[in-house]
Amino acid sequence: MIKFSQRQALERWDTLPYNLRAAIFSDYNAEILWRVCENQHLAEDKIQKIATLAGGC
């Protein structure tokens, strides 16, 4: 697995176009992610971790 430092992650974030940043944190996409995880019968604590890693919550 590739690991990035927090500094590297922030630098990459700064290079993203605004519309992509907005899509990553959109309520709509967060809801889709949550539903997919529920449909896969994941526990709520695991869903929260996935959503946090994906930037949805």
Side-chain angles (χ1 to χ4, degrees):
M1 180 165 79
I2 298 173
K3 295 210 174 205
F4 297 98
S5 70
Q6 185 174 7
R7 185 177 136 270
Q8 288 173 312
L10 291 173
E11 287 174 358
R12 287 185 178 205
W13 176 257
D14 290 340
T15 64
L16 289 177
Y18 177 75
N19 60 344
L20 185 53
R21 292 183 203 184
I24 290 171
F25 286 105
S26 76
D27 290 338
Y28 178 78
N29 288 336
E31 182 65 27
I32 290 172
L33 176 68
W34 199 273
R35 283 191 208 151
V36 167
C37 290
E38 284 180 333
N39 288 340
Q40 296 302 312
H41 308 289
L42 296 176
E44 191 169 327
D45 63 318
K46 289 187 179 184
I47 296 173
Q48 186 62 44
K49 287 179 186 176
I50 292 169
T52 300
L53 290 170
C57 294

